[in-house]
Amino acid sequence: MKQELVGGEITSTAFYKKLRAAYIFVKTESAHLAFGFVFHPGGSGTFLVPASKIEVETTEKPWPIFDLAGATVTDITQSGLDRLFTISVKTPAGARQIICEAIGPNGNLWLLDAKNHIVATLRHREHSPNQAYKPMPPREGLDPFTLTGGKLSAALTKLGDHSMSILTFMEKQVLGFSRSIAREAAIRAG
């Protein structure tokens, strides 16, 4: 995302409450892209696609979020393989950060000011004026960069749940893994 969005201008935003989906549309020198954030129980996550690929089948009116049209994306950061990342933007009101908590159906987007105070939240979580944002504790799990067959086997044995498939185990226990990445890793590892 960093390679694609930094330097781009946010052209619009859209939030579909019933679909549990939000989009931030960014125009760069070479493309018009859509950053999608979905927090539906049937499927959740984030993605970046050409804006022309977004087709929303609903009669629901989209709502703009965070008044970000015209803002410039200045940076995108992520701490390790955690499911939280920050999109930094420059707005006429000053520097802002969009914190993306890509944690599944309970995910949220937070808008912070330059001092990390909460300005707004997508899912209307309660907060007081000038309240500082406190990130969730980092997710614990297995590091995929140092994971070996032995470490995986030991962690699976330690868990003791013999009904869990290896795919489900990797999806839930290996940092940064989704169902599709777990499936690919299992296939490649034989």
Side-chain angles (χ1 to χ4, degrees):
M1 285 180 33
K2 188 172 190 168
Q3 293 173 324
E4 300 294 330
L5 295 181
V6 171
E9 180 181 318
I10 296 176
T11 58
S12 64
T13 59
F15 173 50
Y16 297 90
K17 186 174 184 176
K18 290 179 183 174
L19 296 176
R20 300 181 186 183
Y23 301 94
I24 299 174
F25 296 94
V26 179
K27 178 83 172 147
T28 67
E29 289 182 15
S30 59
H32 193 206
L33 302 167
F35 164 72
F37 173 74
V38 180
F39 55 95
H40 196 278
S44 58
T46 60
F47 55 88
L48 185 65
V49 296
S52 61
K53 298 290 184 188
I54 300 298
E55 294 179 16
V56 180
E57 296 181 18
T58 184
T59 57
E60 180 184 6
K61 177 185 173 186
W63 296 96
I65 56 170
F66 302 155
D67 192 29
L68 292 173
T72 301
V73 178
T74 58
D75 198 12
I76 299 176
T77 57
Q78 180 180 12
S79 177
L81 293 173
D82 206 354
R83 302 164 295 165
L84 284 87
F85 57 93
T86 303
I87 301 172
S88 299
V89 297
K90 182 179 178 184
T91 72
R96 297 284 188 257
Q97 296 178 62
I98 305 163
I99 305 295
C100 180
E101 295 176 339
I103 58 171
N106 294 318
N108 199 5
L109 296 177
W110 299 82
L111 182 66
L112 310 181
D113 65 15
K115 296 180 180 179
N116 286 337
H117 294 133
I118 300 169
V119 175
T121 174
L122 177 69
R123 300 195 58 199
H124 301 292
R125 301 291 190 242
E126 289 189 26
H127 59 87
S128 59
N130 292 321
Q131 179 180 337
Y133 172 78
K134 292 183 182 170
M136 302 168 32
R139 181 176 167 219
E140 291 186 22
L142 301 168
D143 181 350
F145 298 112
T146 61
L147 189 60
T148 64
K151 286 181 182 178
L152 185 63
S153 179
L156 191 54
T157 301
K158 182 179 177 184
L159 183 64
D161 184 354
H162 301 291
S163 65
M164 185 183 299
S165 74
I166 189 70
L167 291 180
T168 301
F169 177 79
M170 286 193 298
E171 176 185 6
K172 295 183 180 295
Q173 299 296 321
V174 180
L175 296 174
F177 270 39
S178 64
R179 186 73 172 178
S180 58
I181 294 173
R183 188 178 304 114
E184 180 69 20
I187 290 168
R188 288 185 183 207

